[in-house]
Amino acid sequence: MKTKESITLSDVAKAAGVSPATVSRVINKHVQINSRTRTKVFNAIQRLGYNTASIEKKAAAIAQSKTKVLNVEFLLFPLAEQKNMLSLEHFNEISNGIQSFFTQTGNIRMHICTWNSDEDKYHDENEIIFKRLLQADGVLITGTPNYSILKRMEESGIKTVLISSDRENISMNTVGSDDLSGGMQAARYLIENGHKHIGFLSGPEQIYSWTARRMGAMLETIKLLGNDCFTYRESVSTEITDIAETFRQWIDEGNMPRAIIMPAAHSVMALERVLLERGLSCPEDISLVSFDTSYPGTFHIKPAHLKTFPKQMGIKAAQRLIQMLNFPHSEEKPHKVVIPMEFEEGNSVKKMNK
């Protein structure tokens, strides 16, 4: 004989002659259930001794979440050269994803704010922003946040989701692309096409996604070709002019590999500019694999690239934050959501004789 604790929703449904879904709707006080069915279900519940407390508690939480207006801060951490982050396609798509999900939810008030990296000059303004974060129900972050700010937010108990900004030693929920695997796939594609020396153009170390892509490319190259077959250069910033200057220096040194991995779409424009200056072309002189979803129509080449999905990142981050706010004790351990990349061939890689 079953105890009260072992009675299930299906047992109640069987006893009442209805479906489990109908029992759930009755317990959740669904308005479209007729009085006769409602009576049958409640008689079965009383007869079997089914405990409805957990379902009623969940229903109350859902009802409350639908009526309470939640205040969410979307916090941007731009690099010095990123004067208007949301004018950049990657971050604009993340923002579009967040807003599309919040629009469907219908009870979110989102504010966008920007943290200034120059703490000495803008300390007071940043402190005002931090007070806003403390008062918010939740925070979404994208860009290049520094460790000290994230640690301060973590210690303050602010419910936060990082978007494409994963950090070691920070216990926060994160959503981002599978950058490490993407870098590995880019290097593997070049090696499969006969290239024996792989180069990577990187940027400032604090750009997590670029660093992870470089690490993946390095690991795959070393595994397949050996330690001496991978090299990289770092640009001082993400500006096209700085990236182009790094390429010029690399070409002029005379040791630039004939297969290059670029971390972002706009980097391809810098490479193309320098190749034209030097009378070189892609893929005849330099083969190329890049990242990002779309490319400006000004390119004379169609890069082989790994497509990322920033809008999907925004949607997933917004979903995770709402889950954290509606059910704060359901999952104490932070989640890491990783969105796979998708490889798309172009005409930028020359097949070498093996």
Side-chain angles (χ1 to χ4, degrees):
M1 182 177 179
K2 287 192 173 185
T3 64
K4 180 177 179 179
E5 288 74 16
S6 65
I7 300 297
T8 67
L9 203 71
S10 297
D11 293 329
V12 175
K14 185 176 180 181
V18 298
S19 69
T22 298
V23 175
S24 179
R25 285 195 287 270
V26 169
I27 295 172
N28 288 323
K29 301 178 175 61
H30 199 285
V31 295
Q32 294 181 349
I33 299 295
N34 64 51
S35 58
R36 183 165 174 247
T37 301
R38 197 182 305 277
T39 300
K40 285 169 58 179
V41 170
F42 276 120
N43 285 343
I45 287 172
Q46 188 175 20
R47 186 166 65 254
L48 297 174
Y50 179 66
N51 185 1
T52 65
S54 61
I55 291 181
E56 289 173 341
K57 185 177 179 180
K58 183 177 179 181
I62 293 172
Q64 183 180 8
S65 71
K66 289 181 178 179
T67 57
K68 180 185 176 184
V69 176
L70 299 172
N71 289 301
V72 173
E73 294 285 349
F74 182 30
L75 181 57
L76 311 178
F77 279 88
L79 295 168
E81 63 269 20
Q82 295 171 335
K83 303 300 182 185
N84 182 2
M85 278 184 69
L86 296 186
S87 69
L88 303 174
E89 183 178 12
H90 178 79
F91 298 111
N92 185 54
E93 283 295 293
I94 288 174
S95 178
N96 289 341
I98 293 169
Q99 294 188 60
S100 69
F101 181 79
F102 284 166
T103 298
Q104 294 175 15
T105 304
N107 63 325
I108 309 295
R109 185 182 294 117
M110 187 177 81
H111 308 274
I112 300 175
C113 53
T114 302
W115 191 274
N116 199 295
S117 58
D118 189 346
E119 287 281 0
D120 294 332
K121 187 176 180 181
Y122 296 96
H123 174 77
D124 292 341
E125 291 182 19
N126 285 346
E127 284 303 305
I128 292 172
I129 290 174
F130 194 80
K131 288 178 181 178
R132 283 174 53 179
L133 303 182
L134 290 171
Q135 295 168 1
D137 292 297
V139 178
L140 296 167
I141 292 178
T142 194
T144 314
N146 62 53
Y147 175 83
S148 61
I149 299 304
L150 294 182
K151 194 65 180 175
R152 186 179 175 192
M153 293 178 67
E154 181 188 14
E155 291 170 350
S156 298
I158 299 172
K159 290 182 171 59
T160 307
V161 178
L162 291 174
I163 308 171
S164 193
S165 302
D166 199 1
R167 288 292 183 276
E168 293 182 359
N169 304 318
I170 294 290
S171 182
M172 286 184 177
N173 288 264
T174 62
V175 176
S177 293
D178 194 352
D179 294 296
L180 187 73
S181 294
M184 296 174 73
Q185 190 172 352
R188 187 162 58 249
Y189 181 76
L190 290 168
I191 294 167
E192 287 172 349
N193 277 276
H195 291 277
K196 303 297 184 182
H197 190 186
I198 309 300
F200 191 102
L201 183 116
S202 193
E205 284 287 340
Q206 64 264 38
I207 305 178
Y208 170 80
S209 59
W210 288 22
T211 302
R213 291 167 189 178
R214 187 189 75 197
M215 183 63 68
M218 181 183 72
L219 292 173
E220 189 71 3
T221 302
I222 291 174
K223 182 179 78 172
L224 297 177
L225 298 178
N227 292 334
D228 298 328
C229 297
F230 180 84
T231 185
Y232 71 94
R233 290 291 185 276
E234 290 182 0
S235 171
V236 296
S237 80
T238 62
E239 288 277 16
I240 289 180
T241 53
D242 288 330
I243 294 170
E245 181 57 29
T246 303
F247 267 121
R248 287 190 194 96
Q249 294 174 7
W250 204 355
I251 289 175
D252 292 344
E253 288 172 8
N255 58 2
M256 183 175 176
R258 294 189 63 184
I260 298 293
I261 299 172
M262 310 294 298
H266 74 279
S267 303
V268 179
M269 297 180 69
L271 173 63
E272 188 175 44
R273 179 186 300 178
V274 176
L275 290 179
L276 289 171
E277 289 174 2
R278 295 295 193 266
L280 303 173
S281 65
C282 173
E284 286 305 313
D285 301 294
I286 298 290
S287 288
L288 163 72
V289 175
S290 187
F291 291 81
D292 287 338
T293 300
S294 62
Y295 289 83
T298 56
F299 287 158
H300 295 91
I301 56 176
K302 181 185 177 184
H305 65 282
L306 285 129
K307 294 171 64 175
T308 59
F309 301 93
K311 184 174 182 178
Q312 191 66 17
M313 286 186 224
I315 292 171
K316 290 292 185 182
Q319 286 176 334
R320 179 56 185 153
L321 185 62
I322 295 306
Q323 184 182 37
M324 292 163 61
L325 297 179
N326 287 343
F327 304 102
H329 303 298
S330 60
E331 296 168 353
E332 299 291 344
K333 192 174 181 180
H335 277 198
K336 182 173 182 177
V337 178
V338 178
I339 299 175
M341 297 182 184
E342 184 179 304
F343 186 78
E344 188 169 291
E345 293 204 33
N347 61 4
S348 62
V349 175
K350 182 178 180 180
K351 194 173 184 65
M352 308 293 286
N353 294 325
K354 296 185 179 181

